Structure formats: structure tokens, C-alpha cells
Amino acid sequence: MFSKMILFVVVTCWIGIVAAVDDDKDEIESLGVFEGENLTIAIHIKKSDKDPQVLVTRLGSSPEPIAQLICHNEDRSLKYWESGVSLIYDGENVTLILMNVSYNQTGLYKVCKLSDSPLENKIYNVTVYQAPLSTISSSVMYSESFPAGITSAILVLIILVLITGAIGVFYWKRSKVTSYKVSQNDDTAASSLRGSLTVIDI
């Protein structure tokens, strides 16, 4: 009875140690992507692994499988639990693609290479950023299309044209008012001359 208890304690401790070691082996890599873009993750496969087995899960309160690659005697099969997910295997690498990602896809993703010995896991901390405003993107596109020197030169030219136009309008209005006053004075002088003339009959 006592020996069984010792064996139980030893086995329990061994399982706990193995689980802790496996958690330490999980590498964590941070990735960032904007909403609406595609997120690509390359998963390297050993050359000696002729029939790779890859499982991708999303971690949370309960892990949710997303995609799986199963190879057997060089026959490949793919399984998907979510739309907008793609796995591509070219014989050396498995490429995971999350297409048109949304903000709610932010989280931890675990890639398990089940055929590796020892088992290899990697965790990706994915952050999906909200897409920038269209006004910001359009201004960025405009600034990228034209070098800074050209845009500043165009701005200065526009300002000069506006100032020149304003000065021209000002002087045009002033000259118009002056000519009107001159013509009005001429009419007054002419009428006064007509009033002062005396007609003499011979």
C-alpha cells in the first residue's frame, strides 16, 4: 500500500515536470497586422519529416482548432474549422494565411508540429490594428506620390498666385473708383461753366 502511494506521487510529479518543460519550450512571437490585410506565418518543416502533421489552434478559455495538415505516405489532406484560413505545403514549409483579418482576431495562436519528436510548439501573439482613416491614407498617398520639395514649391506657387490676384483686384477696384470720381468732377465743372456763360447777341 505504501509503495503504491510512493509510485503515485512519483508519477504525478513526473507528469507535472514534463508539462512545465513543454510550456517552457513553447516559443512566443509577436506579430502585428492591420484590419483587412492578410497575415502570413511560415512554419518550417524538417527535411527528415516526410509526413508532417501540423495543427493550428486559437488559444483562449478553451482552445479552438483552426486548421490542420495531415500527411500520410505523401498523401496530404487539409481540414479547416474557420473560413478565411489557408494552409499551403510546398515540401519544405507550411504557410498559414489568415485572409482579410478583422479586429476580433487579435489573440494567441498555437502551431503544433505533431510529427516532430520531441514535440515542437510555437505561439504567435497576433495583434490586429484598426485600419487608418481614409483621409489619413489619402494624404499619405499624396505625400508619397510627390517629394516634399515639390509639394512645398507647389504650395508656395499657389499662395503667390492668390496674393497677386488679390492685389490685382484691389487696384482694379481702386482705379475704377478714381475714374468715376474724375468723370463726376468733369461733369460738375462743365455744368458750372455753362451756367456762367452769357450769350451776347450782335
Side-chain angles (χ1 to χ4, degrees):
M1 180 73 176
F2 183 73
S3 60
K4 287 183 178 179
M5 288 180 64
I6 293 177
L7 181 61
F8 175 77
V9 171
V10 170
V11 170
T12 305
C13 292
W14 181 79
I15 292 173
I17 292 170
V18 170
V21 170
D22 285 342
D23 286 341
D24 291 339
K25 283 183 179 179
D26 292 349
E27 297 180 36
I28 299 179
E29 182 178 341
S30 295
L31 299 173
V33 63
F34 283 108
E35 277 187 307
E37 294 181 346
N38 296 340
L39 177 65
T40 303
I41 298 174
I43 306 163
H44 181 67
I45 302 298
K46 295 177 181 177
K47 291 183 178 179
S48 58
D49 193 356
K50 301 299 181 184
D51 291 323
Q53 317 291 329
V54 176
L55 175 64
V56 182
T57 56
R58 181 176 180 178
L59 302 181
S61 55
S62 59
E64 302 174 358
I66 294 177
Q68 186 175 15
L69 167 69
I70 301 172
C71 296
H72 181 67
N73 293 331
E74 298 185 357
D75 288 334
R76 305 169 189 171
S77 63
L78 296 170
K79 187 174 182 180
Y80 298 105
W81 285 268
E82 285 189 10
S83 60
V85 180
S86 176
L87 279 176
I88 302 173
Y89 178 49
D90 61 4
E92 294 182 0
N93 293 288
V94 175
T95 303
L96 170 67
I97 303 175
L98 302 179
M99 293 173 284
N100 193 24
V101 295
S102 59
Y103 183 72
N104 59 11
Q105 287 180 282
T106 294
L108 298 175
Y109 294 81
K110 188 172 186 177
V111 176
C112 302
K113 291 188 270 186
L114 304 175
S115 53
D116 281 0
S117 182
L119 186 65
E120 273 191 40
N121 299 325
K122 189 166 183 179
I123 296 175
Y124 294 90
N125 184 12
V126 176
T127 302
V128 181
Y129 302 101
Q130 291 184 345
L133 298 174
S134 58
T135 54
I136 297 176
S137 61
S138 62
S139 63
V140 170
M141 289 176 61
Y142 179 80
S143 62
E144 288 178 352
S145 301
F146 298 96
I150 295 178
T151 54
S152 58
I154 293 174
L155 183 61
V156 170
L157 182 61
I158 291 172
I159 292 173
L160 289 175
V161 169
L162 291 175
I163 292 173
T164 305
I167 292 172
V169 170
F170 173 76
Y171 279 108
W172 177 75
K173 285 186 176 181
R174 189 173 178 181
S175 63
K176 191 173 181 182
V177 170
T178 304
S179 63
Y180 173 75
K181 286 182 178 180
V182 169
S183 62
Q184 191 176 23
N185 291 336
D186 290 341
D187 293 338
T188 305
S191 61
S192 62
L193 283 173
R194 279 195 295 269
S196 61
L197 286 176
T198 304
V199 178
I200 301 173
D201 293 330
I202 299 176

